[in-house]
Amino acid sequence: AQKITQTQPGMFVQEKEAVTLDCTYDTSDPSYGLFWYKQPSSGEMIFLIYQGSYDQQNATEGRYSLNFQKARKSANLVISASQLGDSAMYFCAMREPLNYGGSQGNLIFGKGTKLSVKP
Amino acid sequence: DGGITQSPKYLFRKEGQNVTLSCEQNLNHDAMYWYRQDPGQGLRLIYYSQIVNDFQKGDIAEGYSVSREKKESFPLTVTSAQKNPTAFYLCASSIPGGETQYFGPGTRLLVL
């Protein structure tokens, strides 16, 4: 079964410092996608970054980068130069392989990490 | 601006009442999804639809129903059979089998 694990319920980081949010996944399928979403207190889920299982390089989007270690089945999110506005819940998600149990590539979410940025 | 809208922002349900949550998108996406989020938890899939007039049950479909008569719209009905409906409901859309799902702002459902 597909599974996403986020072991850090909460994290604190000082403004302007970098922070790493952990995510491990479990799948036996060679083709999968990994996502990170940000959920501020307003509730909407904001897409941050995507990594495909066959991508050779780690994904980057501005201050966000994904530290993809395939052998360890980890996909940690690194936020550089933290800002106060980065305070939010962060969710790691994995796309189910197509046709898995009739799935069309649905997302499986971890339980999230609450990041608090201190001024 | 393209995006996904959900209404209402807050919804109150009385015992035994069915309520419908609206989800509309103008991204021209074929696939749409409904998720439920409970406090301190991740998202769980309720229903999804890859194309108009077709939809599939997700992991927690019991007590919910959906329709997909138009590409832009995917309303979710929380029926009286759902005994614990208090949660935050999020709608999303994507191209079928697409890599990224984009989410609406959510509806918070409370039971009176």
Side-chain angles (χ1 to χ4, degrees), chain A residues 35 37 39 50 95 106, chain B residues 37 42 48 50 88 99 101:
Chain A
F35 303 78
Y37 285 86
Q39 186 178 42
Y50 165 79
R95 174 176 53 83
N106 297 328
Chain B
Q37 185 179 28
Y48 63 99
Q50 296 293 323
F88 188 55
E99 298 302 342
Q101 293 182 19

Side-chain angles (χ1 to χ4, degrees), chain A residues 33 35 37 39 41-45 47 50 91 95 98 101-107 109-112, chain B residues 9 33 35 37 40-43 45 48 50 88 90 96-106 108:
Chain A
F35 303 78
Y37 285 86
Q39 186 178 42
S41 57
S42 59
E44 68 178 299
M45 297 285 281
F47 166 71
Y50 165 79
F91 290 93
R95 174 176 53 83
L98 295 175
S103 162
Q104 295 293 317
N106 297 328
L107 294 180
F109 285 83
K111 293 189 175 182
Chain B
K9 187 173 182 179
Y33 309 81
Y35 292 91
Q37 185 179 28
Q41 300 294 318
L43 277 64
L45 183 65
Y48 63 99
Q50 296 293 323
F88 188 55
L90 285 155
E99 298 302 342
T100 303
Q101 293 182 19
Y102 295 93
F103 285 80
R108 197 166 299 277

Side-chain angles (χ1 to χ4, degrees), chain B residues 16-81:
Chain B
Q17 185 182 39
N18 293 352
V19 292
T20 297
L21 285 62
S22 169
C23 177
E24 303 276 334
Q25 55 97 2
N26 61 2
L27 299 168
N28 201 33
H29 286 165
D30 286 304
M32 296 186 75
Y33 309 81
W34 273 107
Y35 292 91
R36 169 179 171 141
Q37 185 179 28
D38 293 286
Q41 300 294 318
L43 277 64
R44 292 183 291 167
L45 183 65
I46 305 172
Y47 268 99
Y48 63 99
S49 168
Q50 296 293 323
I51 198 167
V52 174
N53 293 322
D54 184 58
F55 49 83
Q56 306 293 331
K57 292 182 179 180
D59 299 323
I60 54 166
E62 186 175 351
Y64 300 96
S65 66
V66 294
S67 63
R68 187 84 188 279
E69 297 176 1
K70 297 187 300 181
K71 186 176 184 177
E72 302 80 17
S73 178
F74 190 40
L76 173 75
T77 296
V78 183
T79 74
S80 56

Side-chain angles (χ1 to χ4, degrees), chain A residues 30 32 50-60 66-70:
Chain A
Y32 51 89
Y50 165 79
Q51 179 86 41
S53 59
Y54 294 119
D55 292 344
Q56 295 297 313
Q57 294 188 330
N58 288 345
T60 61
L66 201 152
N67 184 2
F68 183 46
Q69 298 189 43
K70 200 169 182 177

